[in-house]
Amino acid sequence: MAARDAVEVDRRVEALTRLGQVLTSTADYEAALEKLIATISELLDVESAGFMLFDPATAHLVLQQPAFGISDPSAIRAYRVPVSGHGNAVRVFTTQRPYVTNDAPTDSSVLAEYVSLYAARNICTVPLVVEDRAIGVCHAINKRGDFSDADLALFTAMAPLLAVSVQSAALFRDVRAQRERLERAVFLQAQLSRTAFEAPGLHSMTARLADLVDRPVMVLDPGLRPLAAARWPDSHSPRDDWIEGASPDVIDAQDSTRPRVVPIAVGAREGGYLAVLDPAGALDDIDAGAIEHAATIFALEMLRERTAVEAESRVHSDMMGELFDAAHRDEREAMQLLEDLGYTMPGPWRVARVRVRWPGGRRGGLGDEVQPPQVRMHPLVRQRCLEVLEAAAAAPWRAGFLILLPATVDEPDADAEIAARLLAELQRTAEEIRHGSGVAMAVSSPAVSPSELGARLGEAEQGLAIARRIGAEDRPLMFEHLGVYQVLLGGGGQREHARFVDAALGPLVAHDERHGTELVATLRGYVAADYNAAAASRALFVHPNTLAYRLRTIRRLLAGDPSKGDLRLQVELAFRLADLAPAGGHRLLAPRDVGDASTG
């Protein structure tokens, strides 16, 4: 009996000595487990062993690799048991008491699926406890013969040192992984910071990050619209499920269609998302952690771009405000301001007021974004002006922009066509920035000198207000096309009334002055006769054929029939306003008789 006890004591001393050597011989986690398993196998004369550690995040006991002589990682990952469940491992873990079975296939305390998976004939399981806290269990399987009480006692004696060994190896693994993540993150941040300094901009930084991680990279705004991309395949368009319920813990590692998506934010302000695609599977933890740190650099770059755009916007707005100051009279200084704004075209010009309506943000209001749509829109407005107008004098103005357009005094239709092209480009750009955006534009009459720009700005503002009231925001509203709305909605004084009269009857006045005709007086008489040609012919003392000829000329010059529709209202209102004009108004608009000696 004493000899047997001595043998057992020697066996325990040897086991503890061997385990101590393993504990001090390696720092690599998997190598440490492999040596511990080999030592257990030799000391207990078993085929293999395996460690299951408790994962607090999932409340599961998880088999660690390597285990049971199996090289297939999927077979290792398959053995994870919730501690709220049942089975041999759970019972040993929760009770902190060892368990032995020499007939595993028929033992109801052992989960049959794992007995089959690892071909277990007999099993000895001990708890791994550190400072009275269970951290997992260790299984020894398939002893050559049956497990004895001595085997159980020896394995139980080995368990505390096994627990410390496994915990130390795991802690060292975590520290080393954290160090590698930190080194990788520092490297990426240093490289991205260098790129931001030498070649600032989201596009250059995105290309650099794609090179550093050797994977496709895309930067998205809060609405999942791409801001920049590098190496990104056309077949992978952004989807909502990239960020909705896409926790890295639950993403299928084999799902190569869903990228790793990291939020970009500065405090509570959203910048968007940084997406990295790994066609071969999930990113490793080191690169994944480094990408999260890289998102901070992208957030700072977005903030820098916003600050730069806002500063430039303020400068441009101040310059435009000075240029459009009604009291501004120095032509040379005004032309210098135009040149400083990047506008080199000589006058005349038209003033365009653009209003942009942005829908609410995808998550929160517009003020919660690092780069609100208006900030992103400003440089693009100038770019679109350069593309359409070959010049750019544009600045943020109220809830939109103020733009200077080239003008042709005698070809308003050509100016309207240019304005329509620019509006279409701005509408497309706003829609790309934020789906559901709306852009409206109103354009003033021509200004032949910088001193007139202030008054033309008033016209554009008036036109924008009228466009909103009458629902005409789908096209540029030219001031010449406002018609009676200038007076009905715009108000204004004698100057505005005179402009309206000139716009309505100007072509007839010009014809009368050039050819000595009586078209204005003829139209006035025709209106007074309630558009009755016979009555008008008698009142004007002209032959009916003469009246008919004059009316054909009037219709041609006014591009319509003055007795019908909006043109009728416009003509009648123009005559009423002309009658109310103070003495000294245009002589050809004054009421007078037209004898039949005139041929028109």
Side-chain angles (χ1 to χ4, degrees), residues 392-469:
W397 195 267
R398 299 179 181 173
F401 298 90
L402 196 58
I403 302 175
L404 208 58
L405 308 179
T408 53
V409 177
D410 298 326
E411 298 183 36
D413 290 343
D415 292 352
E417 182 179 348
I418 293 175
R421 286 172 49 207
L422 179 59
L423 177 59
E425 288 299 311
L426 296 181
Q427 288 172 332
R428 178 181 61 81
T429 301
E431 179 67 18
E432 290 176 353
I433 293 176
R434 179 63 51 81
H435 177 66
S437 302
V439 182
M441 175 188 290
V443 183
S444 74
S445 61
V448 297
S449 71
S451 61
E452 297 179 0
L453 290 175
R456 298 301 176 264
L457 174 57
E459 294 177 359
E461 296 280 14
Q462 179 185 359
L464 202 59
I466 291 174
R468 183 174 61 250
R469 294 188 186 186

Side-chain angles (χ1 to χ4, degrees), residues 500-514 520 558 589:
F500 174 78
V501 172
D502 185 61
L505 303 176
L508 304 186
V509 172
H511 189 278
D512 285 349
E513 289 181 331
R514 286 196 302 268
V520 173
L558 297 184
L589 292 178

Side-chain angles (χ1 to χ4, degrees), residues 93-442:
F93 175 77
T94 56
T95 65
Q96 297 186 17
R97 294 181 179 179
Y99 182 77
V100 175
T101 177
N102 285 311
D103 189 9
T106 63
D107 191 334
S108 61
S109 298
V110 182
L111 297 178
E113 59 181 303
Y114 299 115
V115 171
S116 174
L117 182 63
Y118 303 114
R121 299 187 308 274
N122 50 29
I123 303 173
C124 184
T125 304
V126 294
L128 301 177
V129 180
V130 177
E131 296 180 347
D132 298 326
R133 181 176 62 87
I135 65 169
V137 300
C138 182
H139 299 293
I141 66 171
N142 297 338
K143 181 177 175 62
R144 296 164 182 85
D146 289 341
F147 284 105
S148 64
D149 291 342
D151 292 328
L152 178 59
L154 177 60
F155 202 14
T156 302
M158 295 166 57
L161 194 53
L162 289 173
V164 172
S165 300
V166 171
Q167 185 182 55
S168 297
L171 289 175
F172 191 86
R173 175 199 59 187
D174 294 342
V175 169
R176 186 174 62 182
Q178 181 64 25
R179 184 188 65 191
E180 291 176 351
R181 283 195 293 269
L182 182 59
E183 290 175 349
R184 181 66 167 156
V186 169
F187 173 74
L188 285 184
Q189 285 186 336
Q191 293 297 314
L192 290 175
S193 298
R194 181 176 180 180
T195 301
F197 179 77
E198 295 178 349
L202 291 179
H203 290 281
S204 59
M205 290 183 58
T206 302
R208 182 58 178 148
L209 180 59
D211 290 340
L212 291 171
V213 300
D214 196 26
R215 293 176 176 89
V217 176
M218 177 180 285
V219 179
L220 304 143
D221 72 2
L224 293 184
R225 280 169 293 276
L227 298 177
R231 304 191 189 182
W232 199 269
D234 294 336
S235 58
H236 284 69
S237 299
R239 307 192 311 259
D240 282 343
D241 67 349
W242 284 7
I243 58 174
E244 294 176 359
S247 170
D249 294 330
V250 300
I251 292 179
D252 184 355
Q254 304 303 316
D255 184 3
S256 61
T257 65
R258 176 181 287 171
R260 175 64 64 98
V261 178
V262 179
I264 298 174
V266 177
R269 290 182 172 177
E270 289 184 285
Y273 302 93
L274 178 62
V276 179
L277 184 66
D278 188 357
L283 290 162
D284 60 54
D285 290 340
I286 294 177
D287 268 349
I291 289 167
E292 291 180 3
H293 287 281
T296 302
I297 302 297
F298 277 86
L300 294 176
E301 175 61 17
M302 286 183 170
L303 192 60
R304 184 202 65 78
E305 287 187 353
R306 171 177 178 165
T307 302
V309 170
E310 288 178 340
E312 182 183 15
S313 298
R314 284 193 295 271
V315 171
H316 287 166
S317 296
D318 290 345
M319 293 171 66
M320 289 289 259
E322 184 177 353
L323 181 65
F324 283 80
D325 185 352
H328 195 88
R329 291 292 181 269
D330 191 322
E331 299 285 326
R332 287 181 299 178
E333 183 179 349
M335 295 305 297
Q336 184 60 52
L337 282 172
L338 282 172
E339 185 175 341
D340 292 342
L341 283 165
Y343 198 92
T344 56
M345 291 186 177
W349 312 275
R350 290 179 183 266
V351 178
R353 262 289 280 124
V354 175
R355 182 176 61 247
V356 184
R357 176 184 54 78
W358 301 108
R362 192 175 185 274
R363 289 172 176 78
L366 299 181
D368 295 334
E369 298 183 25
V370 178
Q371 288 189 335
Q374 183 80 354
V375 171
R376 293 165 53 195
M377 185 75 173
H378 175 222
L380 295 176
V381 168
R382 293 178 61 81
Q383 183 177 336
R384 299 298 175 261
C385 288
L386 285 171
E387 293 169 355
V388 176
L389 310 175
E390 298 182 355
W397 195 267
R398 299 179 181 173
F401 298 90
L402 196 58
I403 302 175
L404 208 58
L405 308 179
T408 53
V409 177
D410 298 326
E411 298 183 36
D413 290 343
D415 292 352
E417 182 179 348
I418 293 175
R421 286 172 49 207
L422 179 59
L423 177 59
E425 288 299 311
L426 296 181
Q427 288 172 332
R428 178 181 61 81
T429 301
E431 179 67 18
E432 290 176 353
I433 293 176
R434 179 63 51 81
H435 177 66
S437 302
V439 182
M441 175 188 290

